[in-house]
Amino acid sequence: MGVGHPFLDTDGDKLREECGVFGVIGARDAAAVTALGLHALQHRGQEAAGITSFDGNEFYSRRGTGHVAENFSTGEALAQLPGEMAAGHVRYSTTGGAGLRNVQPLYADLASGGFAIAHNGNISNAMHLRADLVRKGAIFQSTSDTEVIIHLVATSRYPTMLDRFVDALRLVEGAYSLIVMTNNGMAACRDPLGIRPLVMGKMGDATVFASETVALDIVGAKFEREVEPGELIEVDFDGSVRSHRPFGKPASRPCIFEHVYFSRPDSISGGRSVYSVRKAIGQQLAIESPADADIVIPVPDSGVPAAIGYAQESGVPFELGIIRSHYVGRTFIQPSDGQRHSSVARKHNANRALVEGKRIILIDDSIVRGTTSLKIVQMMRDAGASEVHMRIASPPTMHSCFYGVDTPERSKLLAARMDTEAMRSFIQADSLAFVSIDGLYRAVGESERKAKCPQYCDACFSGEYPTSLTDLAERETPQLPLLGKKLDEKAA
Protein backbone atom coordinates (compact mmCIF):
# COMPACT_ATOMS: atom_id res chain seq x y z
CA MET A 1 0.00 0.00 0.00
CA GLY A 2 2.59 1.77 0.07
CA VAL A 3 4.16 4.43 1.99
CA GLY A 4 6.26 5.38 5.82
CA HIS A 5 8.18 2.69 7.22
CA PRO A 6 6.57 0.33 9.71
CA PHE A 7 9.60 1.05 11.91
CA LEU A 8 9.38 4.82 11.77
CA ASP A 9 6.03 5.67 13.35
CA THR A 10 7.30 8.07 15.98
CA ASP A 11 4.03 9.67 16.98
CA GLY A 12 1.30 7.05 17.31
CA ASP A 13 -0.38 5.38 20.22
CA LYS A 14 -2.88 3.48 18.09
CA LEU A 15 -2.11 1.03 15.34
CA ARG A 16 -2.75 2.83 12.08
CA GLU A 17 -5.50 1.12 10.15
CA GLU A 18 -3.57 0.20 6.99
CA CYS A 19 -5.38 1.48 3.87
CA GLY A 20 -8.68 1.09 2.09
CA VAL A 21 -9.38 0.27 -1.57
CA PHE A 22 -12.53 0.51 -3.67
CA GLY A 23 -13.25 -0.22 -7.32
CA VAL A 24 -16.28 -0.32 -9.61
CA ILE A 25 -16.73 -1.31 -13.24
CA GLY A 26 -19.88 -0.94 -15.32
CA ALA A 27 -21.45 1.98 -13.42
CA ARG A 28 -22.49 5.41 -14.64
CA ASP A 29 -20.51 8.08 -12.78
CA ALA A 30 -18.08 5.44 -11.51
CA ALA A 31 -15.88 8.07 -9.87
CA ALA A 32 -18.80 9.41 -7.80
CA VAL A 33 -19.62 5.87 -6.67
CA THR A 34 -15.95 5.37 -5.77
CA ALA A 35 -15.81 8.61 -3.78
CA LEU A 36 -18.85 7.51 -1.79
CA GLY A 37 -17.29 4.11 -1.18
CA LEU A 38 -14.08 5.75 0.01
CA HIS A 39 -16.08 7.85 2.48
CA ALA A 40 -17.18 4.59 4.10
CA LEU A 41 -13.53 3.48 4.28
CA GLN A 42 -12.19 6.80 5.59
CA HIS A 43 -11.33 5.20 8.97
CA ARG A 44 -8.75 3.03 7.17
CA GLY A 45 -6.70 6.00 5.99
CA GLN A 46 -6.88 9.73 6.65
CA GLU A 47 -3.59 10.93 5.24
CA ALA A 48 -4.49 11.01 1.54
CA ALA A 49 -7.03 9.86 -1.04
CA GLY A 50 -7.00 9.25 -4.78
CA ILE A 51 -9.27 8.11 -7.61
CA THR A 52 -8.39 6.99 -11.14
CA SER A 53 -11.08 6.49 -13.80
CA PHE A 54 -11.23 5.18 -17.38
CA ASP A 55 -13.73 6.29 -20.04
CA GLY A 56 -12.89 3.66 -22.65
CA ASN A 57 -10.15 5.75 -24.22
CA GLU A 58 -8.17 7.54 -21.52
CA PHE A 59 -7.29 7.23 -17.83
CA TYR A 60 -7.86 10.20 -15.52
CA SER A 61 -6.42 10.64 -12.03
CA ARG A 62 -7.01 12.98 -9.13
CA ARG A 63 -5.07 12.61 -5.90
CA GLY A 64 -4.69 14.74 -2.82
CA THR A 65 -3.68 14.81 0.82
CA GLY A 66 -6.36 14.89 3.49
CA HIS A 67 -9.81 13.35 3.66
CA VAL A 68 -12.02 12.15 0.82
CA ALA A 69 -14.43 15.06 1.32
CA GLU A 70 -11.59 17.55 0.92
CA ASN A 71 -10.75 16.18 -2.52
CA PHE A 72 -13.90 14.65 -4.06
CA SER A 73 -16.95 16.45 -2.68
CA THR A 74 -17.65 18.78 -5.62
CA GLY A 75 -19.20 18.11 -9.01
CA GLU A 76 -16.26 19.92 -10.57
CA ALA A 77 -13.75 17.49 -9.05
CA LEU A 78 -15.73 14.42 -10.10
CA ALA A 79 -16.31 15.81 -13.61
CA GLN A 80 -12.54 15.46 -14.12
CA LEU A 81 -12.92 11.68 -13.67
CA PRO A 82 -15.29 10.47 -16.42
CA GLY A 83 -16.06 6.88 -17.30
CA GLU A 84 -17.78 3.71 -16.13
CA MET A 85 -14.72 2.25 -14.39
CA ALA A 86 -12.90 3.77 -11.43
CA ALA A 87 -10.74 2.72 -8.50
CA GLY A 88 -9.86 4.63 -5.35
CA HIS A 89 -7.63 4.49 -2.31
CA VAL A 90 -7.41 6.02 1.14
CA ARG A 91 -4.15 5.62 2.96
CA TYR A 92 -1.75 5.98 5.75
CA SER A 93 1.89 5.57 4.85
CA THR A 94 3.34 2.17 5.67
CA THR A 95 6.18 1.79 3.17
CA GLY A 96 7.79 4.70 1.39
CA GLY A 97 6.81 7.89 3.17
CA ALA A 98 4.32 10.68 2.88
CA GLY A 99 4.05 12.85 -0.20
CA LEU A 100 1.75 13.29 -3.17
CA ARG A 101 3.88 11.08 -5.44
CA ASN A 102 2.99 8.12 -3.20
CA VAL A 103 -0.77 8.73 -3.18
CA GLN A 104 -2.63 5.94 -4.94
CA PRO A 105 -3.90 4.63 -7.27
CA LEU A 106 -0.55 4.61 -9.03
CA TYR A 107 -0.69 4.80 -12.83
CA ALA A 108 1.72 3.91 -15.64
CA ASP A 109 1.61 3.65 -19.43
CA LEU A 110 2.89 0.18 -20.27
CA ALA A 111 3.58 -1.27 -23.71
CA SER A 112 0.16 -2.96 -23.61
CA GLY A 113 -1.72 0.15 -22.44
CA GLY A 114 -2.63 1.92 -19.24
CA PHE A 115 -2.18 0.24 -15.86
CA ALA A 116 -3.56 1.66 -12.60
CA ILE A 117 -3.21 -0.07 -9.23
CA ALA A 118 -4.57 0.45 -5.70
CA HIS A 119 -2.99 -1.60 -2.92
CA ASN A 120 -3.88 -2.35 0.69
CA GLY A 121 -1.10 -4.21 2.47
CA ASN A 122 2.66 -4.29 2.54
CA ILE A 123 5.21 -6.10 0.38
CA SER A 124 7.82 -7.49 2.73
CA ASN A 125 10.46 -8.02 0.04
CA ALA A 126 9.89 -4.72 -1.80
CA MET A 127 13.34 -3.31 -1.01
CA HIS A 128 15.00 -6.49 -2.29
CA LEU A 129 12.94 -6.45 -5.51
CA ARG A 130 13.42 -2.73 -6.00
CA ALA A 131 17.21 -2.97 -5.71
CA ASP A 132 17.24 -5.69 -8.36
CA LEU A 133 14.98 -3.67 -10.68
CA VAL A 134 17.10 -0.53 -10.29
CA ARG A 135 20.24 -2.53 -11.14
CA LYS A 136 18.49 -3.56 -14.35
CA GLY A 137 17.70 0.06 -15.24
CA ALA A 138 14.22 0.66 -13.77
CA ILE A 139 13.44 4.27 -12.88
CA PHE A 140 11.04 4.71 -9.95
CA GLN A 141 8.72 7.70 -9.66
CA SER A 142 7.70 7.06 -6.03
CA THR A 143 9.05 5.45 -2.89
CA SER A 144 5.97 3.22 -2.60
CA ASP A 145 6.33 -0.55 -2.42
CA THR A 146 3.31 -0.74 -4.75
CA GLU A 147 5.32 0.66 -7.66
CA VAL A 148 7.47 -2.48 -7.54
CA ILE A 149 4.46 -4.43 -8.84
CA ILE A 150 4.11 -2.06 -11.81
CA HIS A 151 7.77 -2.59 -12.78
CA LEU A 152 7.49 -6.34 -12.38
CA VAL A 153 4.46 -6.36 -14.69
CA ALA A 154 6.22 -4.09 -17.19
CA THR A 155 9.32 -6.29 -17.37
CA SER A 156 7.58 -9.67 -17.42
CA ARG A 157 8.07 -11.61 -20.66
CA TYR A 158 4.69 -13.34 -20.62
CA PRO A 159 2.38 -12.55 -23.56
CA THR A 160 -0.89 -11.50 -21.85
CA MET A 161 -1.52 -8.86 -19.21
CA LEU A 162 -3.08 -11.45 -16.90
CA ASP A 163 -0.02 -13.69 -17.15
CA ARG A 164 2.34 -10.76 -16.58
CA PHE A 165 0.36 -9.72 -13.52
CA VAL A 166 0.43 -13.25 -12.07
CA ASP A 167 4.14 -13.50 -12.91
CA ALA A 168 4.74 -10.29 -10.93
CA LEU A 169 2.74 -11.50 -7.94
CA ARG A 170 4.68 -14.76 -7.81
CA LEU A 171 7.79 -12.70 -6.98
CA VAL A 172 6.07 -10.72 -4.24
CA GLU A 173 5.87 -11.72 -0.58
CA GLY A 174 3.79 -10.21 2.20
CA ALA A 175 0.21 -8.99 2.22
CA TYR A 176 -1.88 -7.41 -0.48
CA SER A 177 -5.38 -6.73 -1.64
CA LEU A 178 -5.14 -5.18 -5.09
CA ILE A 179 -7.52 -3.50 -7.51
CA VAL A 180 -6.06 -3.07 -10.98
CA MET A 181 -7.46 -1.27 -14.03
CA THR A 182 -6.32 -1.77 -17.62
CA ASN A 183 -7.76 -0.88 -21.03
CA ASN A 184 -9.53 -4.25 -20.97
CA GLY A 185 -11.25 -4.02 -17.59
CA MET A 186 -10.69 -4.49 -13.87
CA ALA A 187 -8.92 -7.18 -11.84
CA ALA A 188 -8.98 -7.70 -8.09
CA CYS A 189 -6.88 -10.11 -6.07
CA ARG A 190 -5.88 -11.08 -2.58
CA ASP A 191 -2.59 -12.47 -1.32
CA PRO A 192 -2.42 -16.28 -1.02
CA LEU A 193 -2.94 -16.19 2.76
CA GLY A 194 -5.73 -13.61 2.60
CA ILE A 195 -4.03 -11.43 5.22
CA ARG A 196 -5.67 -8.26 3.96
CA PRO A 197 -9.43 -8.19 3.32
CA LEU A 198 -11.31 -7.72 0.02
CA VAL A 199 -15.00 -8.25 -0.82
CA MET A 200 -17.05 -8.24 -4.02
CA GLY A 201 -20.57 -6.94 -4.61
CA LYS A 202 -23.06 -6.12 -7.37
CA MET A 203 -24.78 -2.80 -7.96
CA GLY A 204 -27.23 -3.48 -10.77
CA ASP A 205 -25.03 -4.59 -13.67
CA ALA A 206 -21.90 -3.09 -12.10
CA THR A 207 -19.32 -5.10 -10.17
CA VAL A 208 -17.86 -3.54 -7.03
CA PHE A 209 -14.78 -4.41 -4.95
CA ALA A 210 -13.98 -2.95 -1.54
CA SER A 211 -11.88 -3.50 1.56
CA GLU A 212 -15.01 -3.83 3.73
CA THR A 213 -18.68 -4.67 3.29
CA VAL A 214 -19.70 -1.32 4.79
CA ALA A 215 -18.50 0.39 1.58
CA LEU A 216 -20.87 -1.84 -0.43
CA ASP A 217 -23.71 -0.87 1.91
CA ILE A 218 -23.05 2.83 1.49
CA VAL A 219 -23.12 2.75 -2.33
CA GLY A 220 -26.18 0.48 -2.43
CA ALA A 221 -24.35 -2.62 -3.69
CA LYS A 222 -25.34 -6.13 -2.68
CA PHE A 223 -22.63 -8.20 -1.03
CA GLU A 224 -21.81 -11.21 -3.18
CA ARG A 225 -18.85 -12.82 -1.41
CA GLU A 226 -15.32 -12.30 -0.20
CA VAL A 227 -12.53 -12.45 -2.72
CA GLU A 228 -10.91 -15.67 -1.56
CA PRO A 229 -7.28 -15.83 -0.42
CA GLY A 230 -5.06 -16.26 -3.48
CA GLU A 231 -7.93 -15.58 -5.88
CA LEU A 232 -7.69 -13.23 -8.86
CA ILE A 233 -10.98 -12.01 -10.35
CA GLU A 234 -11.21 -10.44 -13.82
CA VAL A 235 -14.19 -8.32 -14.85
CA ASP A 236 -14.64 -7.19 -18.47
CA PHE A 237 -16.61 -4.19 -19.67
CA ASP A 238 -19.41 -6.50 -20.81
CA GLY A 239 -19.86 -7.57 -17.19
CA SER A 240 -18.38 -11.07 -17.51
CA VAL A 241 -16.55 -12.25 -14.39
CA ARG A 242 -13.78 -14.86 -14.37
CA SER A 243 -12.05 -16.32 -11.33
CA HIS A 244 -8.47 -17.61 -11.35
CA ARG A 245 -6.53 -19.47 -8.67
CA PRO A 246 -2.87 -19.07 -9.70
CA PHE A 247 -1.54 -19.80 -6.20
CA GLY A 248 -3.54 -22.92 -5.36
CA LYS A 249 -5.40 -23.00 -2.04
CA PRO A 250 -3.01 -22.65 0.91
CA ALA A 251 -4.46 -22.43 4.43
CA SER A 252 -5.63 -18.83 4.90
CA ARG A 253 -4.37 -16.48 7.63
CA PRO A 254 -6.53 -13.32 7.61
CA CYS A 255 -5.52 -10.52 9.98
CA ILE A 256 -7.29 -11.02 13.32
CA PHE A 257 -6.86 -7.35 14.20
CA GLU A 258 -9.55 -6.52 11.62
CA HIS A 259 -11.99 -7.93 14.20
CA VAL A 260 -10.36 -6.14 17.13
CA TYR A 261 -10.01 -2.63 15.73
CA PHE A 262 -9.45 -1.97 12.02
CA SER A 263 -12.81 -2.75 10.45
CA ARG A 264 -15.89 -0.65 11.07
CA PRO A 265 -18.21 -2.41 13.54
CA ASP A 266 -21.02 -2.44 10.94
CA SER A 267 -18.89 -4.50 8.53
CA ILE A 268 -18.98 -8.27 8.04
CA SER A 269 -15.56 -9.92 8.08
CA GLY A 270 -15.03 -13.62 7.44
CA GLY A 271 -18.78 -14.14 7.54
CA ARG A 272 -19.06 -12.64 11.02
CA SER A 273 -20.43 -9.32 12.24
CA VAL A 274 -17.48 -7.27 13.48
CA TYR A 275 -19.73 -5.70 16.12
CA SER A 276 -20.83 -9.11 17.42
CA VAL A 277 -17.23 -10.35 17.56
CA ARG A 278 -16.16 -7.28 19.56
CA LYS A 279 -19.01 -7.85 22.01
CA ALA A 280 -17.92 -11.48 22.31
CA ILE A 281 -14.34 -10.35 23.05
CA GLY A 282 -15.74 -8.24 25.90
CA GLN A 283 -17.66 -11.25 27.20
CA GLN A 284 -14.45 -13.32 27.13
CA LEU A 285 -12.67 -10.54 29.03
CA ALA A 286 -15.38 -10.56 31.72
CA ILE A 287 -15.09 -14.36 32.08
CA GLU A 288 -11.28 -14.33 32.20
CA SER A 289 -10.65 -11.13 34.16
CA PRO A 290 -13.56 -10.01 36.36
CA ALA A 291 -13.22 -6.99 38.64
CA ASP A 292 -15.24 -5.84 41.65
CA ALA A 293 -16.55 -2.51 40.36
CA ASP A 294 -19.58 -0.24 40.03
CA ILE A 295 -19.59 0.63 36.31
CA VAL A 296 -18.05 -0.42 32.98
CA ILE A 297 -16.79 2.47 30.83
CA PRO A 298 -15.57 2.20 27.22
CA VAL A 299 -12.70 4.26 25.87
CA PRO A 300 -14.54 5.76 22.88
CA ASP A 301 -15.15 4.80 20.23
CA SER A 302 -13.28 1.56 19.62
CA GLY A 303 -13.86 0.17 23.11
CA VAL A 304 -17.66 0.48 23.03
CA PRO A 305 -18.77 -2.94 21.67
CA ALA A 306 -16.34 -4.83 23.93
CA ALA A 307 -17.51 -2.79 26.93
CA ILE A 308 -21.13 -3.68 26.16
CA GLY A 309 -20.16 -7.36 26.02
CA TYR A 310 -18.21 -7.08 29.28
CA ALA A 311 -21.11 -5.37 31.04
CA GLN A 312 -23.66 -7.91 29.81
CA GLU A 313 -21.53 -10.87 30.87
CA SER A 314 -20.47 -9.44 34.24
CA GLY A 315 -23.71 -7.75 35.23
CA VAL A 316 -21.80 -4.53 35.99
CA PRO A 317 -23.71 -1.58 34.42
CA PHE A 318 -22.42 -0.04 31.18
CA GLU A 319 -22.08 3.75 31.28
CA LEU A 320 -20.56 6.47 29.11
CA GLY A 321 -18.02 7.82 31.55
CA ILE A 322 -15.85 9.37 28.84
CA ILE A 323 -17.30 11.71 26.25
CA ARG A 324 -15.38 12.04 23.01
CA SER A 325 -15.20 15.13 20.84
CA HIS A 326 -15.44 14.12 17.19
CA TYR A 327 -13.86 17.35 16.02
CA VAL A 328 -10.30 16.75 17.18
CA GLY A 329 -7.64 15.21 14.95
CA ARG A 330 -6.49 11.70 15.75
CA THR A 331 -3.96 11.38 18.55
CA PHE A 332 -1.17 9.89 16.46
CA ILE A 333 -1.09 12.77 13.98
CA GLN A 334 0.46 15.08 16.59
CA PRO A 335 4.20 15.55 16.03
CA SER A 336 5.44 15.48 19.61
CA ASP A 337 4.69 13.75 22.89
CA GLY A 338 3.63 17.01 24.51
CA GLN A 339 1.13 17.78 21.77
CA ARG A 340 -0.08 14.19 21.73
CA HIS A 341 -0.80 14.27 25.45
CA SER A 342 -2.66 17.55 25.22
CA SER A 343 -4.72 16.21 22.34
CA VAL A 344 -5.84 13.25 24.48
CA ALA A 345 -7.39 15.79 26.82
CA ARG A 346 -9.00 17.70 23.94
CA LYS A 347 -10.36 14.51 22.44
CA HIS A 348 -11.76 12.90 25.62
CA ASN A 349 -13.46 14.39 28.66
CA ALA A 350 -14.51 12.59 31.82
CA ASN A 351 -18.20 12.52 32.73
CA ARG A 352 -17.44 13.63 36.29
CA ALA A 353 -20.99 13.39 37.65
CA LEU A 354 -21.02 9.70 36.73
CA VAL A 355 -17.43 8.77 37.61
CA GLU A 356 -16.93 10.50 40.94
CA GLY A 357 -16.62 8.07 43.84
CA LYS A 358 -17.05 5.01 41.61
CA ARG A 359 -14.95 1.89 41.10
CA ILE A 360 -14.69 1.72 37.33
CA ILE A 361 -13.66 -0.79 34.69
CA LEU A 362 -12.16 0.87 31.60
CA ILE A 363 -12.35 -1.11 28.33
CA ASP A 364 -10.06 -0.31 25.38
CA ASP A 365 -9.12 -2.25 22.24
CA SER A 366 -5.34 -2.29 22.68
CA ILE A 367 -2.28 -0.81 24.35
CA VAL A 368 0.50 0.20 21.97
CA ARG A 369 2.89 2.66 23.61
CA GLY A 370 0.77 3.14 26.73
CA THR A 371 0.81 6.93 26.71
CA THR A 372 -2.91 7.26 25.95
CA SER A 373 -3.87 4.65 28.56
CA LEU A 374 -1.83 6.51 31.16
CA LYS A 375 -3.60 9.79 30.39
CA ILE A 376 -7.08 8.26 30.43
CA VAL A 377 -6.49 6.48 33.74
CA GLN A 378 -5.27 9.78 35.16
CA MET A 379 -8.34 11.54 33.74
CA MET A 380 -10.58 9.10 35.60
CA ARG A 381 -8.70 9.64 38.84
CA ASP A 382 -8.89 13.42 38.39
CA ALA A 383 -12.67 13.03 37.93
CA GLY A 384 -12.87 11.30 41.31
CA ALA A 385 -12.87 7.58 40.44
CA SER A 386 -12.01 5.59 43.56
CA GLU A 387 -10.57 2.64 41.60
CA VAL A 388 -9.61 2.23 37.93
CA HIS A 389 -9.38 -1.28 36.48
CA MET A 390 -8.16 -1.48 32.87
CA ARG A 391 -9.29 -4.32 30.58
CA ILE A 392 -7.95 -4.68 27.03
CA ALA A 393 -9.92 -6.38 24.22
CA SER A 394 -6.82 -7.89 22.59
CA PRO A 395 -3.74 -9.77 23.81
CA PRO A 396 -0.59 -7.71 24.49
CA THR A 397 0.80 -6.17 21.28
CA MET A 398 4.38 -7.41 21.53
CA HIS A 399 5.59 -7.45 17.90
CA SER A 400 5.67 -5.12 14.91
CA CYS A 401 3.49 -5.77 11.88
CA PHE A 402 5.08 -6.03 8.42
CA TYR A 403 1.85 -6.54 6.50
CA GLY A 404 0.48 -3.02 6.11
CA VAL A 405 -0.11 -1.84 9.66
CA ASP A 406 1.97 1.07 10.87
CA THR A 407 3.17 -0.26 14.22
CA PRO A 408 6.05 1.39 16.06
CA GLU A 409 9.39 -0.36 16.20
CA ARG A 410 9.29 -3.17 18.73
CA SER A 411 11.31 -1.30 21.36
CA LYS A 412 8.52 1.28 21.58
CA LEU A 413 5.76 -1.30 22.17
CA LEU A 414 4.99 -1.29 25.89
CA ALA A 415 4.21 -5.02 25.99
CA ALA A 416 7.56 -5.85 24.37
CA ARG A 417 9.38 -4.13 27.22
CA MET A 418 7.21 -4.94 30.25
CA ASP A 419 5.15 -7.73 31.74
CA THR A 420 1.52 -7.07 32.67
CA GLU A 421 2.29 -5.96 36.22
CA ALA A 422 4.92 -3.47 35.03
CA MET A 423 2.47 -2.18 32.41
CA ARG A 424 -0.17 -1.76 35.12
CA SER A 425 2.28 0.27 37.15
CA PHE A 426 3.22 2.36 34.11
CA ILE A 427 -0.40 3.33 33.31
CA GLN A 428 -1.13 3.70 37.05
CA ALA A 429 -4.24 1.48 37.05
CA ASP A 430 -5.40 -0.56 40.05
CA SER A 431 -5.44 -3.66 37.85
CA LEU A 432 -4.76 -4.50 34.20
CA ALA A 433 -5.71 -7.55 32.16
CA PHE A 434 -5.75 -8.52 28.48
CA VAL A 435 -7.98 -11.04 26.77
CA SER A 436 -6.08 -14.28 26.20
CA ILE A 437 -5.18 -15.26 22.66
CA ASP A 438 -7.41 -18.34 22.97
CA GLY A 439 -10.19 -16.12 24.28
CA LEU A 440 -9.79 -13.92 21.22
CA TYR A 441 -10.03 -16.98 18.96
CA ARG A 442 -13.17 -18.12 20.81
CA ALA A 443 -14.71 -14.69 20.21
CA VAL A 444 -14.22 -15.05 16.44
CA GLY A 445 -15.92 -18.43 16.53
CA GLU A 446 -13.00 -20.85 16.85
CA SER A 447 -12.83 -23.43 19.63
CA GLU A 448 -9.15 -22.64 20.14
CA ARG A 449 -6.05 -21.38 18.39
CA LYS A 450 -4.38 -24.17 16.40
CA ALA A 451 -0.77 -23.79 17.44
CA LYS A 452 0.74 -25.64 14.46
CA CYS A 453 -1.25 -23.70 11.88
CA PRO A 454 -3.12 -20.71 13.37
CA GLN A 455 -6.36 -19.80 11.64
CA TYR A 456 -5.49 -16.07 11.61
CA CYS A 457 -2.44 -13.89 11.30
CA ASP A 458 -1.79 -12.89 14.91
CA ALA A 459 1.91 -12.06 14.56
CA CYS A 460 1.53 -8.77 16.45
CA PHE A 461 0.60 -10.86 19.51
CA SER A 462 2.48 -14.12 18.95
CA GLY A 463 5.50 -13.14 16.85
CA GLU A 464 4.64 -15.97 14.43
CA TYR A 465 4.86 -14.36 10.98
CA PRO A 466 3.12 -16.41 8.26
CA THR A 467 5.43 -15.33 5.41
CA SER A 468 9.11 -14.69 4.85
CA LEU A 469 10.34 -11.21 5.79
CA THR A 470 13.14 -10.78 3.27
CA ASP A 471 13.72 -7.04 3.69
CA LEU A 472 13.82 -7.33 7.48
CA ALA A 473 16.21 -10.30 7.32
CA GLU A 474 18.53 -8.46 4.92
CA ARG A 475 18.58 -5.37 7.15
CA GLU A 476 19.38 -7.47 10.20
CA THR A 477 22.02 -9.71 8.57
CA PRO A 478 25.55 -8.55 9.53
CA GLN A 479 28.05 -7.86 6.76
CA LEU A 480 30.27 -10.87 6.06
CA PRO A 481 33.59 -9.36 7.29
CA LEU A 482 31.91 -8.37 10.54
CA LEU A 483 30.33 -11.80 10.84
CA GLY A 484 33.71 -13.42 10.22
CA LYS A 485 35.28 -11.26 12.90
CA LYS A 486 32.65 -12.27 15.44
CA LEU A 487 33.16 -15.92 14.62
CA ASP A 488 36.92 -15.51 14.98
CA GLU A 489 36.46 -13.81 18.34
CA LYS A 490 34.26 -16.68 19.56
CA ALA A 491 36.84 -19.24 18.38
CA ALA A 492 39.57 -17.40 20.21
Side-chain angles (χ1 to χ4, degrees):
M1 106 170 106
V3 269
H5 206 286
F7 291 149
L8 300 180
D9 175 15
T10 57
D11 54 7
D13 197 28
K14 282 287 185 188
L15 301 183
R16 297 187 178 187
E17 303 102 315
E18 324 145 18
C19 297
V21 295
F22 185 95
V24 59
I25 179 170
R28 288 184 57 192
D29 302 319
V33 175
T34 300
L36 189 57
L38 292 179
H39 272 290
L41 300 174
Q42 185 73 83
H43 60 288
R44 298 184 75 89
Q46 299 185 33
E47 187 178 276
I51 295 175
T52 298
S53 71
F54 180 67
D55 67 357
N57 294 303
E58 289 187 50
F59 285 86
Y60 304 84
S61 290
R62 183 180 175 93
R63 302 179 294 170
T65 56
H67 288 190
V68 177
E70 295 172 54
N71 293 286
F72 300 106
S73 60
T74 66
E76 180 184 359
L78 294 171
Q80 297 173 21
L81 298 164
E84 296 190 352
M85 179 172 72
H89 190 268
V90 289
R91 70 172 262 268
Y92 288 123
S93 58
T94 58
T95 302
L100 203 55
R101 65 177 175 161
N102 289 316
V103 180
Q104 297 189 28
L106 298 183
Y107 174 79
D109 283 306
L110 306 185
S112 55
F115 186 91
I117 184 169
H119 172 205
N120 167 213
N122 203 62
I123 297 170
S124 56
N125 64 338
M127 290 166 58
H128 177 86
L129 293 171
R130 184 187 181 104
D132 185 54
L133 286 161
V134 169
R135 277 194 299 270
K136 293 175 180 176
I139 300 172
F140 281 77
Q141 300 298 311
S142 75
T143 54
S144 165
D145 62 338
T146 310
E147 192 179 355
V148 168
I149 297 174
I150 296 176
H151 284 276
L152 292 174
V153 172
T155 56
S156 172
R157 296 179 179 273
Y158 280 86
T160 70
M161 176 60 79
L162 177 66
D163 287 338
R164 286 197 292 273
F165 188 38
V166 170
D167 185 37
L169 295 181
R170 289 191 192 283
L171 299 173
V172 163
E173 72 181 34
Y176 54 83
S177 285
L178 300 170
I179 296 175
V180 167
M181 298 192 300
T182 71
N183 297 63
N184 298 317
M186 180 171 283
C189 68
R190 225 172 143 193
D191 64 77
L193 298 180
I195 299 173
R196 298 268 68 87
L198 194 62
V199 298
M200 180 172 71
K202 293 292 286 186
M203 189 179 70
D205 294 330
T207 301
V208 183
F209 297 99
S211 292
E212 294 184 38
T213 61
V214 67
L216 304 181
D217 298 338
I218 295 300
V219 303
K222 179 185 176 185
F223 171 71
E224 292 272 299
R225 64 181 180 86
E226 292 193 353
V227 177
E228 294 180 16
E231 183 181 21
L232 191 157
I233 298 176
E234 280 187 293
V235 186
D236 293 340
F237 288 107
D238 63 6
S240 61
V241 178
R242 293 183 300 281
S243 171
H244 307 275
R245 301 303 302 253
F247 307 108
K249 291 190 176 184
S252 63
R253 296 281 290 275
C255 171
I256 202 164
F257 220 93
E258 289 286 344
H259 287 291
V260 173
Y261 179 69
F262 295 139
S263 293
R264 265 178 50 162
D266 46 343
S267 280
I268 306 294
S269 180
R272 297 185 175 276
S273 156
V274 173
Y275 177 80
S276 296
V277 168
R278 288 179 188 166
K279 276 184 63 179
I281 296 172
Q283 291 167 336
Q284 285 292 326
L285 256 179
I287 293 166
E288 294 176 1
S289 303
D292 200 7
D294 302 307
I295 53 176
V296 175
I297 294 174
V299 177
D301 289 322
S302 55
V304 171
I308 293 172
Y310 192 103
Q312 289 177 351
E313 181 66 32
S314 66
V316 180
F318 171 92
E319 298 285 358
L320 295 178
I322 301 171
I323 307 302
R324 178 188 168 194
S325 168
H326 290 266
Y327 303 98
V328 177
R330 292 197 164 203
T331 309
F332 53 61
I333 295 171
Q334 309 302 327
S336 71
D337 272 348
Q339 287 174 294
R340 180 162 63 249
H341 293 164
S342 66
S343 92
V344 171
R346 293 197 308 270
K347 185 172 167 182
H348 299 103
N349 191 50
N351 186 350
R352 178 179 289 274
L354 179 74
V355 169
E356 195 164 15
K358 298 288 200 318
R359 299 168 302 168
I360 67 171
I361 300 169
L362 276 176
I363 309 286
D364 204 356
D365 60 89
S366 60
I367 292 180
V368 182
R369 297 169 184 267
T371 50
T372 298
S373 299
L374 170 63
K375 291 297 174 183
I376 287 180
V377 169
Q378 188 59 51
M379 182 192 300
M380 294 292 96
R381 295 207 188 279
D382 291 344
S386 60
E387 294 177 15
V388 182
H389 302 276
M390 195 86 178
R391 297 293 180 267
I392 305 299
S394 63
T397 303
M398 299 178 67
H399 303 272
S400 297
C401 176
F402 302 97
Y403 300 123
V405 182
D406 209 358
T407 47
E409 61 186 78
R410 192 168 181 227
S411 64
K412 299 232 171 57
L413 294 170
L414 198 66
R417 298 186 286 117
M418 301 180 182
D419 62 16
T420 300
E421 172 55 25
M423 294 173 75
R424 181 209 63 75
S425 178
F426 177 84
I427 68 171
Q428 299 176 17
D430 290 284
S431 71
L432 170 66
F434 298 80
V435 73
S436 68
I437 197 157
D438 281 331
L440 177 59
Y441 271 73
R442 284 191 288 272
V444 296
E446 304 287 346
S447 58
E448 62 180 1
R449 180 182 187 268
K450 296 177 182 175
K452 288 187 177 179
C453 186
Q455 303 93 310
Y456 288 87
C457 178
D458 54 24
C460 53
F461 309 133
S462 67
E464 296 177 24
Y465 295 94
T467 74
S468 300
L469 300 172
T470 297
D471 289 346
L472 178 67
E474 290 183 354
R475 282 196 300 271
E476 292 183 346
T477 300
Q479 297 297 311
L480 286 176
L482 179 61
L483 182 62
K485 182 180 178 185
K486 287 183 176 178
L487 291 172
D488 290 342
E489 288 170 353
K490 286 183 180 178

